[in-house]
Amino acid sequence: MTVKKIIFVGRTGAGKTTLTQAIKGTQIHYHKTQYINHYDVIIDTPGEYCENKKLGRALILYSYEADVIGLLMSSLEEYSLYSPNIASLATREVIGIVTQIDKENARPDLAKLWLELTGCKKIFFISAITGEGIEELLDYLQEDDT
């Protein structure tokens, strides 16, 4: 059994690094990602790469190193940075990941709608703090070699 490599994409504060720490089983602490971080099966990207059109080109290049592109959307977002149907431009599978579902004032249904508008067919609801949804995401990323 192998695991698909995933690249996490999302704006600053979406929870990419926190989710990475939760998946790795390390203690969760806030750490501002300054550059692309490669782990065994995770590529963690800075939010600025998603927020800045010129830096966004790096996301395209690094996505070639992944099997899956994970678009993260916090359930606390006021708007979506993602263009409608942007997933159709990818040469990799694109999934949606709604984060921070455990927070007060969370609106996971709105985040889900925005991810559906990007073209994500598969969407996961995650709390890196409580662990909710992480097992489902990991199960999805595991491939059966047979």
Side-chain angles (χ1 to χ4, degrees):
M1 180 156 318
T2 59
V3 178
K4 297 176 192 172
K5 189 169 197 171
I6 187 168
I7 183 170
F8 290 147
V9 176
R11 65 185 291 156
T12 302
K16 300 175 300 296
T17 301
T18 303
L19 178 56
T20 299
Q21 292 171 358
I23 289 173
K24 290 173 48 184
T26 60
Q27 182 178 3
I28 294 176
H29 64 281
Y30 180 76
H31 168 72
K32 174 68 184 98
T33 303
Q34 300 292 326
Y35 46 85
I36 303 279
N37 288 308
H38 288 262
Y39 301 101
D40 291 337
V41 293
I42 300 170
I43 303 171
D44 184 16
T45 65
E48 290 82 3
Y49 283 41
C50 184
E51 298 163 352
N52 182 306
K53 184 169 66 170
K54 289 184 181 182
L55 294 174
R57 295 175 183 150
L59 294 174
I60 296 167
L61 293 174
Y62 282 101
S63 72
Y64 286 104
E65 297 181 27
D67 302 306
V68 178
I69 299 169
L71 297 182
L72 275 74
M73 171 75 65
S74 168
S75 59
L76 302 173
E77 293 292 343
E78 296 294 325
Y79 61 92
S80 174
L81 280 181
Y82 304 122
S83 300
N85 207 26
I86 196 165
S88 68
L89 301 175
T91 59
R92 303 288 185 268
E93 176 184 10
V94 180
I95 63 170
I97 302 172
V98 177
T99 60
Q100 302 176 6
I101 61 171
D102 58 310
K103 301 284 186 175
E104 187 176 338
N105 300 321
R107 297 177 299 174
D109 290 343
L110 181 58
K112 177 185 178 201
L113 173 65
W114 284 331
L115 288 169
E116 288 172 341
L117 289 173
T118 69
C120 293
K121 303 286 188 249
K122 184 74 177 163
I123 299 175
F124 295 89
F125 295 88
I126 303 283
S127 168
I129 303 302
T130 68
E132 183 179 344
I134 292 177
E135 185 175 337
E136 291 83 359
L137 176 61
L138 291 175
D139 287 346
Y140 183 76
L141 294 173
Q142 291 194 14
E143 289 182 328
D144 193 358
D145 290 337
T146 57

